[in-house]
Amino acid sequence: MFYCRDKELRDLNKRYQKNDFECIVVYGRRRVGKTALINEFCNGKPTIFFSALNASSQENLEALSKAIYEKDHPGAETAPVYPSFDAAFSEITRMAENDRVIFVIDEYPYLAKANKSISSRLQHIVDHTWKNGKLFLILCGSSMSFMEYQVLGYESPLYGRRTGQFKIQALNYKEITEFNSGLNNEQQALVYGVTGGIPHYINKLAIENDIDEALKENLFNTSSYLFEEPENLLKQELREPAIYNSIIAAIAGGASRSNEIATKVGIEAPICAKYLKVLLGLGILVKKTPIIEKPGKKTVYAIGDNFFRFWYRFVPQNISAISAGRIERIYDSVISKYFSDYMGLIFEQMCRQYLFLYAEDVPVVLSDIGQWWGTDSKAKKEVQIDIVGTPAEGNAYIIGSCKYRSNPIGIDELELLKHYASVFGKGDKYYFYIFSKSGFTKGLQELGNKGEVKLIILEDMYK
């Protein structure tokens, strides 16, 4: 089944129906569903689908030749090889002369790495031939930094040739409910916390009825796909996976600043900065800065991929028991009892998505939403606000708190939130929101009824 990319499919099909030349750039982190989206779009349409190889230029030319031949000879085991990429592109020109043809280059960064002149060659043929025809060209890649700088960037030969671009993001917490519609809200939240909304991981988790059994069988199991996914992805993308693994582990263990991470890993800070940049480009890490503030001393690094965050939180410290096949003995007492603590940050993500995408009657037209942290000068301590929603105009802000706890949240949380808003001190007016997994005390509900605070439980977020 194909889920959740309806808007992207509509946009692609609308462009296809115009019958004009298109150069569409599709990019996003690995496993996010780019190829599945392209395959769904191409289904039933004349298509040359070339998946570039992390190999030599000649091997890629052979693979491209076969892809061209397979358009009119599906299932062919062998194909004639063109003498050059220019010759192969000329054949594509001929095929698209009178007919609408889609030409997909999947994993374009591999091809560009193997053949340094390929972007210039594509630029030349687009400018002189394809732009006047009916070809529908799609360039797809998983290396976000490469696609943004070497394909979309100003210095790229292909700059200005694209007619559209799609940055494919992970699905949000509500979209993933289509995959396992029978789960309750708390279970759906955990699936999002484990997979980060990556369709491939949701499918590999293979939940039938019980998410705990799925985790034990399909993640905390040395023979499972997901157990080896972080290591395999790092090996696939990087030359020195061991160092990158140590950096991710350091961040998972609480290190957040560049110097702190470098010290924990045991490498020099400038070298560490280069590794961090690569992990940012892959979407595994993110840089965080307090909302409304510019990057600087407060900027920190965090694991931006929920699956990596989950894996590094629970697998390494339990690796001996998992390798010995003792997961049944430790799952309840050592692993799952900490899921609520782990879900704290995930719940914050979900609440921000809810406010930005699904909430009705939000009193502020939001331009952005995120976290804020800073120093309480009176108490001389650091404070953090889970949610700050900034206005598109005016000076009223959303200030929110997110609590993924089993006990009801009381009035003290609202008082704390009001104090934090005074420390933030940027707005003329504040609207307070408190999110809770398990509800609120009677006293806080009364204040909510009076309009002093908006109270939202997990169930409300799934309506």
Side-chain angles (χ1 to χ4, degrees):
M1 295 291 291
F2 183 81
Y3 298 109
C4 303
R5 302 295 188 189
D6 295 339
K7 181 182 183 302
E8 291 87 345
L9 274 176
R10 281 197 306 271
D11 289 348
L12 286 168
N13 279 310
K14 188 175 181 180
R15 289 174 177 273
Y16 182 82
Q17 289 162 7
K18 290 180 179 178
N19 237 22
D20 297 326
F21 169 74
E22 298 281 354
C23 177
I24 303 295
V25 178
V26 178
Y27 68 110
R29 61 144 289 171
R30 195 170 292 280
R31 319 291 197 232
V32 79
K34 302 180 299 299
T35 303
L37 169 64
I38 293 170
N39 281 333
E40 186 71 13
F41 165 65
C42 293
N43 188 29
K45 302 180 180 77
T47 301
I48 301 165
F49 194 104
F50 166 45
S51 185
L53 307 173
N54 190 10
S56 69
S57 179
Q58 180 59 33
E59 288 173 291
N60 273 285
L61 179 58
E62 292 171 4
L64 173 58
S65 300
K66 190 170 189 298
I68 294 171
Y69 190 72
E70 283 183 334
K71 176 188 173 293
D72 295 324
H73 305 84
E77 295 185 4
T78 60
V81 177
Y82 293 95
S84 66
F85 280 97
D86 287 340
F89 293 156
S90 293
E91 176 61 15
I92 293 171
T93 301
R94 185 195 65 77
M95 296 170 81
E97 190 172 9
N98 298 310
D99 299 316
R100 188 62 153 163
V101 174
I102 301 170
F103 175 33
V104 179
I105 306 180
D106 198 9
E107 293 302 346
Y108 181 73
Y110 285 161
L111 179 61
K113 175 184 173 184
N115 189 308
K116 304 297 184 185
S117 68
I118 201 69
S119 291
S120 296
R121 292 178 183 279
L122 281 172
Q123 175 235 316
H124 184 271
I125 197 166
V126 166
D127 288 350
H128 292 86
T129 306
W130 288 351
K131 72 176 183 180
N132 299 316
K134 299 180 179 181
L135 187 70
F136 197 109
L137 174 64
I138 299 177
L139 303 178
C140 180
S142 299
S143 173
M144 290 189 287
S145 59
F146 180 94
M147 297 300 288
E148 288 174 344
Y149 294 108
Q150 301 299 319
V151 177
L152 297 172
Y154 179 75
E155 296 183 0
S156 168
L158 292 170
Y159 179 78
R161 276 72 187 178
R162 78 181 186 277
T163 57
Q165 67 284 320
F166 294 78
K167 185 175 183 179
I168 307 303
Q169 306 279 9
L171 303 176
N172 67 50
Y173 79 92
K174 200 169 182 180
E175 288 173 323
I176 71 164
T177 59
E178 292 191 33
F179 287 79
N180 300 286
S181 58
L183 301 181
N184 63 38
N185 296 332
E186 193 170 339
Q187 291 170 329
Q188 294 284 10
L190 181 56
V191 173
Y192 181 72
V194 174
T195 66
I198 301 296
H200 188 65
Y201 297 158
I202 300 172
N203 289 329
K204 290 297 183 182
L205 192 55
I207 301 169
E208 294 181 359
N209 298 306
D210 190 328
I211 186 172
D212 292 306
E213 287 304 314
L215 285 168
K216 285 184 279 188
E217 181 67 24
N218 299 316
L219 197 155
F220 297 111
N221 180 339
T222 56
S223 66
S224 68
Y225 176 94
L226 292 176
F227 177 79
E228 291 198 338
E229 168 64 0
E231 182 180 359
N232 287 338
L233 194 147
L234 292 179
K235 284 179 179 177
Q236 185 175 355
E237 296 287 349
L238 307 166
R239 293 180 181 177
E240 300 172 290
I243 296 178
Y244 289 99
N245 176 71
S246 298
I247 289 172
I248 299 169
I251 296 171
S256 61
R257 301 185 186 277
S258 182
N259 288 341
E260 185 183 8
I261 297 165
T263 299
K264 202 162 185 179
V265 175
I267 58 178
E268 296 181 1
I271 296 174
C272 183
K274 293 179 180 178
Y275 289 114
L276 289 169
K277 185 177 180 180
V278 173
L279 290 171
L280 289 169
L282 292 173
I284 295 172
L285 299 185
V286 292
K287 266 186 179 181
K288 290 187 174 182
T289 301
I291 196 167
I292 77 166
E293 297 189 21
K294 295 180 180 179
K297 292 182 179 180
K298 289 185 178 180
T299 298
V300 297
Y301 291 89
I303 299 176
D305 182 301
N306 285 350
F307 177 75
F308 271 71
R309 181 186 289 133
F310 183 88
W311 195 96
Y312 278 88
R313 169 65 178 82
F314 292 106
V315 172
Q317 67 186 49
N318 296 300
I319 193 68
S320 296
I322 295 169
S323 298
R326 298 177 56 247
I327 187 64
E328 289 287 353
R329 298 185 185 183
I330 68 164
Y331 184 82
D332 291 334
S333 60
V334 178
I335 295 178
S336 63
K337 76 173 186 177
Y338 294 107
F339 283 173
S340 286
D341 292 338
Y342 167 80
M343 285 294 295
L345 285 176
I346 306 299
F347 191 50
E348 290 179 21
Q349 292 177 16
M350 294 169 58
C351 296
R352 289 192 285 269
Q353 290 173 10
Y354 171 78
L355 279 176
F356 217 51
L357 300 172
Y358 299 114
E360 298 179 357
D361 302 323
V362 178
V364 176
V365 178
L366 296 174
S367 68
D368 199 4
I369 192 165
Q371 288 180 324
W372 182 86
W373 58 93
T375 302
D376 182 344
S377 57
K378 292 182 180 179
K380 295 182 179 179
K381 67 176 184 178
E382 191 88 358
V383 302
Q384 178 173 303
I385 305 175
D386 298 336
I387 290 177
V388 173
T390 63
E393 60 179 8
N395 207 31
Y397 288 77
I398 299 290
I399 301 290
S401 175
C402 312
K403 300 299 176 187
Y404 203 78
R405 299 174 181 169
S406 298
N407 53 306
I409 306 302
I411 294 176
D412 56 336
E413 187 63 32
L414 177 59
E415 295 304 315
L416 187 63
L417 203 54
K418 289 179 177 179
H419 172 66
Y420 284 178
S422 70
V423 176
F424 175 69
K426 309 296 182 183
D428 295 331
K429 182 175 180 60
Y430 299 108
Y431 296 95
F432 298 102
Y433 279 70
I434 299 179
F435 293 82
S436 169
K437 180 181 79 168
S438 304
F440 309 93
T441 62
K442 185 176 180 181
L444 186 57
Q445 288 180 41
E446 290 175 355
L447 294 179
N449 292 334
K450 294 177 181 178
E452 290 191 33
V453 60
K454 181 73 171 178
L455 305 176
I456 298 169
I457 60 174
L458 183 64
E459 183 180 349
D460 297 330
M461 296 167 62
Y462 282 97
K463 290 179 179 176

